[in-house]
Amino acid sequence: MEHRIETKCVQGGYQPGNGEPRQIPIVQSTTFKYASSSEMGKLFDLEASGYFYSRLQNPTCDAVAAKICEMEGGSAAMLTSSGQAANFFAVFNIAGCGDHVVASSTIYGGTFNLFSVTMKKMGIDFTFVSPHCTDEELEAAFRPNTKAVFGETIANPALIVLDIERFAKAAHAHGVPLIIDNTFATPINCRPFEWGADIVTHSTTKYMDGHGSAVGGCIVDSGKFDWTAHAEKFPGLCTPDDSYHGITYTERFGLEGAYITKATAQLMRDFGCTQSPQSAFLLNLGLESLHVRMPRHCENALKVASFLRNHEKIAWVSYASHPEDEQYELARKYLPNGSCGVVSFGVKGGRAAAEKFMGRLKIAAIETHVADARTCCLHPASATHRQMNDEELVAAGVGPDLVRYSCGLESADDLIADIAQALDF
């Protein structure tokens, strides 16, 4: 029986047996005992399922990953130590030195730096395209060595809604998968696999956790992309892996398991970007209320956006779910139940005015955080996007006046009153 998303939030991923703990147990152990070396050897050869060292897999983490997998409608998933690690693994699992990736230019500043600086040093080249680019411009971005396309459902902090179907169509025409960071929308408001995406990532630190308790990330595979149809592009999945006794992942684990198995057995083994069992437990507590919290975040954000649109000291407002927003029709297609709780806007007077406004807020805290139960705000040009030059900031949709305001679960009337007094200067 296929359950609805609300039920998956509460009960997905873990079903206790008779007399077993009702809540997901925290398996706080680095290692696991076996009766013989031969039994453990089967685990190292990927011939049996089980646990031998928590750097690779842990029962608590796997149960929570399974819940997120159910929520997104995927075939397999894995937790990581952060959303940044999830995006790194998602790309590096199929792209290496000499390869190329197409990415939306409006992605989160930390991800932009990961791609344009750090992974470039690893020999992977990225071409950044506007999410509003023409079909011709998108087509021109591809190269013979392109291995993936990357974008965000809702860009952080520009709040640009990606036309997932269009980018998926372009990616598939070139035999590569579309990777979507679904952090801001969450599977409550958008499930990218339903629109043609192949791999989904999350910073679970945000809405999924929802309480600022634990840093984490997740990767979910749809299990639908046919790696074998383009085997020459993906040798890591379609040819023997010498580090695992010549296993070919697509042959051993099929299309539904190859991608995540390789990411776990190879990348997690070597990089160790593991989410702790305690963090996974806290994440699960957040997931259990995600379907209740997201509508309230969206309700508050819509009210705040409506107020800001009519305020004389506000230069512009971006919130896709507002009927007057230029992205409203695209949001209705991909996010019919609401987008997220984040509103981006510009204060007249530029950077100085934006910083003055933020300093006067009483409820919203200035934090390098977003998507929390508590309202917070940030001036990205001075923080998360500080490493970008002016040209890159413009391409990312992050002007010097932009304020990212993340509506929490407080009273919308109180948030609006706080904004009003902060703008009274």
Side-chain angles (χ1 to χ4, degrees):
M1 178 180 177
E2 180 68 21
H3 293 129
R4 291 175 174 80
I5 189 72
E6 296 88 350
T7 304
K8 293 176 180 178
C9 283
V10 179
Q11 297 207 21
Y14 172 71
Q15 293 298 323
N18 188 45
E20 293 182 344
R22 187 65 190 90
Q23 180 57 277
I24 292 177
I26 304 174
V27 182
Q28 194 65 51
S29 181
T30 60
T31 191
F32 302 82
K33 178 183 178 293
Y34 285 89
S36 68
S37 295
S38 60
E39 288 182 79
M40 183 172 285
K42 291 179 181 179
L43 298 176
F44 276 89
D45 289 344
L46 303 181
E47 293 178 354
S49 61
Y51 303 94
F52 56 86
Y53 197 56
S54 281
R55 188 179 77 234
L56 280 86
Q57 288 181 281
N58 173 280
T60 306
C61 295
D62 280 1
V64 180
K67 173 178 283 192
I68 297 173
C69 188
E70 285 186 40
M71 292 166 63
E72 284 287 7
S75 65
M78 65 184 294
L79 297 187
T80 62
S81 57
S82 67
Q84 194 81 328
N87 285 335
F88 171 61
F89 275 22
V91 174
F92 196 63
N93 201 35
I94 52 176
C97 184
D99 290 333
H100 172 257
V101 175
V102 176
S104 169
S105 62
T106 58
I107 56 177
Y108 167 62
T111 310
F112 182 91
N113 195 72
L114 169 68
F115 291 169
S116 65
V117 178
T118 303
M119 294 187 76
K120 186 175 181 179
K121 292 177 181 178
M122 302 169 75
I124 305 173
D125 198 13
F126 289 80
T127 296
F128 296 94
V129 298
S130 167
H132 302 308
C133 66
T134 64
D135 290 343
E136 291 74 20
E137 289 170 333
L138 181 55
E139 177 68 22
F142 287 87
R143 302 176 188 173
N145 60 337
T146 299
K147 296 300 177 71
V149 178
F150 183 96
E152 295 174 348
T153 308
I154 306 171
N156 175 14
L159 302 185
I160 303 298
V161 177
L162 191 74
D163 191 341
I164 300 173
E165 272 193 321
R166 187 166 76 95
F167 275 73
K169 182 180 178 181
H172 296 161
H174 288 269
V176 301
L178 173 63
I179 304 172
I180 291 290
D181 184 329
N182 198 34
T183 296
F184 268 20
T186 81
I188 301 301
N189 288 340
C190 182
R191 285 172 289 282
F193 294 153
E194 297 174 2
W195 300 102
D198 303 289
I199 298 155
V200 161
T201 65
H202 286 278
S203 170
T204 61
T205 317
K206 310 305 189 297
Y207 286 120
M208 285 187 164
D209 173 294
H211 301 84
S213 301
V215 175
C218 185
I219 309 172
V220 187
D221 180 17
S222 68
K224 296 178 180 177
F225 188 82
D226 191 350
W227 308 103
T228 60
H230 314 282
E232 75 286 350
K233 282 183 172 289
F234 307 106
L237 289 166
C238 301
T239 60
D241 180 359
D242 292 338
S243 71
Y244 270 107
H245 313 291
I247 285 175
T248 299
Y249 293 100
T250 50
E251 291 180 1
R252 176 70 66 88
F253 303 101
L255 298 181
E256 294 185 343
Y259 179 86
I260 292 296
T261 301
K262 177 180 179 294
T264 303
Q266 192 182 86
L267 300 188
M268 192 62 81
R269 174 198 65 189
D270 294 344
F271 288 97
C273 300
T274 315
Q275 185 166 153
S276 74
Q278 180 68 53
S279 293
F281 177 84
L282 294 172
L283 166 58
N284 185 63
L285 293 180
L287 291 172
E288 290 179 349
S289 65
L290 184 63
H291 62 294
V292 179
R293 291 184 286 106
M294 284 306 294
R296 179 58 179 265
H297 283 295
C298 294
E299 177 187 336
N300 281 357
L302 183 58
K303 290 179 179 178
V304 166
S306 298
F307 170 78
L308 290 168
R309 277 186 165 271
N310 295 314
H311 199 286
E312 61 181 7
K313 289 191 176 180
I314 299 300
W316 57 271
V317 179
S318 177
Y319 188 67
S321 293
H322 194 284
E324 296 177 15
D325 194 277
E326 61 183 13
Q327 299 184 97
Y328 183 64
E329 291 304 319
L330 200 60
R332 285 183 64 190
K333 174 180 178 179
Y334 293 114
L335 305 152
N337 298 320
S339 52
C340 64
V342 182
V343 181
S344 289
F345 56 93
V347 181
K348 290 181 180 177
R351 183 188 295 260
E355 292 178 345
K356 186 173 183 178
F357 158 74
M358 290 171 59
R360 290 173 55 87
L361 290 167
K362 306 299 183 184
I363 295 177
I366 300 174
E367 301 175 6
T368 309
H369 191 41
V370 70
D372 198 326
R374 296 163 290 269
T375 296
C376 55
C377 63
L378 188 73
H379 185 239
S382 300
T384 56
H385 289 64
R386 193 180 186 92
Q387 77 279 5
M388 291 184 174
N389 59 40
D390 288 347
E391 183 178 322
E392 290 170 337
L393 284 171
V394 171
V398 183
D401 64 340
L402 187 150
V403 173
R404 185 185 72 184
Y405 188 92
S406 177
C407 299
L409 302 178
E410 306 92 345
S411 161
D413 291 338
D414 287 345
L415 297 181
I416 289 170
D418 187 35
I419 292 171
Q421 67 82 24
L423 287 170
D424 188 19
F425 60 84

